Amino acid sequence: ALVAALFPRVPALLDGIYGDRPANADEALAFAITQGACSPGAANVIGSGQKLATNRPLNEVLDGEAGGFGGPVLVPQGMNDKVSGPARASERADAFERLRPGVKVCRLEAGGHCPQDDAPEAVAAAILEFLPAVREYAQGDTSRGRAAESTVGA
């Protein structure tokens, strides 16, 4: 019932989320969202989120010495997030930057909640610039990967 009540508002909600690139909030996206929500199992999928284990802290997930991933990580962060707000986006970016060496945040001023949709060119450029650090890590050379991190998105 709640999802059905939201159906007429989906296009307007998407316009707000994709404020930086409103063309991405097209009829196809609204249809895909409402179609998926109409699926007979949608309520179970939504409800299952309440049954998930508590998220592990990022410092645990990204700590190679504690069994997490210790390689290079790129976080494209849209700074004009219409869902959580620009202040929260900045806090999130700051938190990622403090985690450990090898985590690089690319702050995208033109990006929003979905930076890969809002600023795909900037995200792609950040990924291409970050790839050498990934290659070096994959080849076992972590020293240069950490040095390269300081230039991505600068």
Side-chain angles (χ1 to χ4, degrees), residues 56-64 66 99-100:
R56 291 171 52 200
L58 286 175
N59 59 344
E60 180 183 326
V61 173
L62 297 177
D63 183 353
L99 280 176
R100 66 164 170 81

Side-chain angles (χ1 to χ4, degrees), residues 71-72 132-148:
V134 175
R135 285 189 195 108
E136 291 165 3
Y137 177 79
Q139 295 169 351
D141 180 3
T142 59
S143 62
R144 289 188 303 161
R146 288 184 178 169

Side-chain angles (χ1 to χ4, degrees), residues 20 75-81 89 93 105-112 114-116 118-126 153:
D20 291 335
V75 180
Q77 176 65 60
M79 301 310 293
N80 193 21
D81 190 330
V105 176
C106 181
R107 294 170 187 252
L108 303 170
E109 297 303 324
C114 303
Q116 71 281 3
D118 293 328
E121 298 87 0
V123 171

Side-chain angles (χ1 to χ4, degrees), residues 10-143:
V10 167
L13 292 169
L14 289 174
D15 285 342
I17 292 170
Y18 288 98
D20 291 335
R21 200 172 269 230
N24 287 348
D26 60 9
E27 289 181 30
L29 179 59
F31 177 77
I33 290 170
T34 55
Q35 186 71 16
C38 288
S39 171
N44 291 335
V45 171
I46 294 168
S48 68
Q50 299 300 318
K51 300 174 187 171
L52 294 174
T54 304
N55 289 338
R56 291 171 52 200
L58 286 175
N59 59 344
E60 180 183 326
V61 173
L62 297 177
D63 183 353
E65 294 176 16
F69 179 69
V73 175
L74 175 65
V75 180
Q77 176 65 60
M79 301 310 293
N80 193 21
D81 190 330
K82 305 281 193 212
V83 176
S84 61
R88 180 69 184 111
S90 184
E91 291 170 10
R92 209 171 20 253
D94 293 344
F96 272 108
E97 286 178 332
R98 289 190 300 265
L99 280 176
R100 66 164 170 81
V103 175
K104 174 61 186 168
V105 176
C106 181
R107 294 170 187 252
L108 303 170
E109 297 303 324
H113 187 70
C114 303
Q116 71 281 3
D117 291 335
D118 293 328
E121 298 87 0
V123 171
I127 291 170
L128 288 174
E129 191 175 333
F130 193 68
L131 279 177
V134 175
R135 285 189 195 108
E136 291 165 3
Y137 177 79
Q139 295 169 351
D141 180 3
T142 59
S143 62

